[in-house]
Amino acid sequence: MRRICAVTPAVRFPVSTPLLSRLAFASIVANVAIVVTGGAVRLTASGLGCPTWPRCTDESYTTTPEMGIHGVIEFGNRLLTFAVGIIALAVVVAVLLHRPRRRGLLPLAVAVLFGIPAQAVLGGVTVLTNLNPWVVGLHFLASMVVIAVAYALWRRITEPDGPTVPVVPGPLRTLAVVTTVVSAAVLVVGTWVTGSGPHAGDGGAARNGLDPEQISQVHADGVFLLIGLSVALVFAFRAVGATGPARAALVLVVVELGQGVIGFVQYFTDLPATLVGAHMLGSCLVLLATLSVLWSTRERRPVAPAPTAAPAPEASVPAHA
């Protein structure tokens, strides 16, 4: 019986792995950038520069001269969403044109692509709810999810297609997972701090009602816990000779310390807008550094080649007298 082999169809313009990886990295950068520019909208009190959504005004999809600089800033951030979406679409097309075809890449690429309009809809809800601080926080966290998926896609591109295997002992892998959970919790509580503070995005926007000093202390406690866990990871990885994970954990500690310094300085200097914007960028970097540590604790092995079937023995022919 003839064995039928599956052949990947040829494409006229195949996309190489390095090009696909660069596009995926560009998607990460673009999604981080839109978080920072979204922060600029809030920090310049331009959150209602376009007072409705999806239009900018009841009569126009674009800003008008009467709306001034606040309208320009808010509308500019909306336009940036299309640029981020175009990059995500380019990644999806590149995944489809990549040869050899890789399983697991397309779902991640599509998730990033659809996450961007979903995040934009949440942005519209923030406008329609007059910058409700809880919705604003959810809008930020949705961006963090998209960044995390974009990072997973970027790392997956250069990995083989085999199963994942741990490269550190099980307890250290668990510690890395716990650190990731604490990092996510710190991000969530950070949105509560923001919702209780002065940068509402508009002079008439409500605050979440939490005491700024108390919730800031809760946030700081979470940061101390996160740094402690990260330092523990550095020493634990070094103790078992896991140099790659130890290096990733050290980078995480450095990023956390930088973010912590910005956080304390902004708190004791009455939250200047520039430092708050830097703190938002730092939040994205902490997330990415945390994911880097988690990824460093495992690796994918190449797919084992399929066993070759032994040829069937030839039937013996009886001799005739």
Side-chain angles (χ1 to χ4, degrees):
M1 179 182 295
R2 292 187 304 170
R3 185 174 58 184
I4 300 176
C5 300
V7 178
T8 303
V11 295
R12 188 171 182 179
F13 302 105
V15 172
S16 66
T17 298
L19 176 57
L20 179 57
S21 181
R22 286 194 289 269
L23 283 172
F25 186 78
S27 181
I28 297 174
V29 173
N31 279 284
V32 170
I34 202 169
V35 169
V36 176
T37 58
V41 170
R42 180 169 56 83
L43 295 170
T44 57
S46 303
L48 294 178
C50 287
T52 189
W53 187 86
R55 295 175 181 264
C56 191
T57 68
D58 290 335
E59 294 79 23
S60 174
Y61 281 98
T62 63
T63 184
T64 61
E66 295 77 16
M67 300 169 69
I69 186 63
H70 294 310
V72 171
I73 293 173
E74 163 64 6
F75 183 69
N77 189 62
R78 293 187 182 188
L79 288 180
L80 185 59
T81 301
F82 289 98
V84 177
I86 290 172
I87 295 175
L89 178 60
V91 173
V92 172
V93 173
V95 167
L96 293 173
L97 296 179
H98 183 253
R99 292 296 182 272
R101 180 70 63 84
R102 297 284 307 285
R103 67 183 187 190
L105 296 185
L106 187 59
L108 291 171
V110 171
V112 173
L113 177 62
F114 281 93
I116 292 168
Q119 189 259 12
V121 169
L122 277 174
V125 174
T126 65
V127 173
L128 297 176
T129 57
N130 293 317
L131 306 182
N132 181 289
W134 300 106
V135 181
V136 171
L138 186 60
H139 182 46
F140 171 79
L141 294 175
S143 294
M144 295 296 102
V145 172
V146 174
I147 290 173
V149 177
Y151 179 84
L153 171 63
W154 178 62
R155 292 296 298 262
R156 185 70 181 85
I157 288 170
T158 55
E159 293 179 332
D161 288 327
T164 58
V165 294
V167 297
V168 298
L172 296 190
R173 170 74 171 167
T174 301
L175 182 58
V177 172
V178 171
T179 303
T180 303
V181 173
V182 172
S183 182
V186 168
L187 286 175
V188 173
V189 177
T191 65
W192 302 348
V193 176
T194 299
S196 69
H199 297 293
D202 184 79
R207 303 284 71 207
N208 59 21
L210 299 176
D211 181 81
E213 184 174 349
Q214 291 181 355
I215 195 61
S216 295
Q217 184 61 58
V218 172
H219 183 57
D221 292 341
V223 171
F224 287 134
L225 175 59
L226 177 60
I227 293 176
L229 290 170
S230 302
V231 171
L233 281 173
V234 173
F235 286 101
F237 288 150
R238 285 183 174 177
V240 298
T243 56
R247 187 164 48 248
L250 182 59
V251 170
L252 174 59
V253 171
V254 172
V255 173
E256 289 168 348
L257 290 176
Q259 175 75 335
V261 168
I262 295 173
F264 277 107
V265 172
Q266 72 171 4
Y267 179 78
F268 290 109
T269 55
D270 296 325
L271 301 174
T274 301
L275 286 181
V276 175
H279 199 57
M280 294 187 68
L281 173 61
S283 298
C284 299
L285 298 181
V286 168
L287 171 65
L288 292 171
T290 303
L291 293 175
S292 177
V293 172
L294 189 62
W295 249 257
S296 72
T297 62
R298 30 70 80 202
E299 66 180 13
R300 282 185 182 272
R301 301 284 171 81
V303 177
T308 303
E314 296 183 359
S316 58
V317 181
H320 295 279

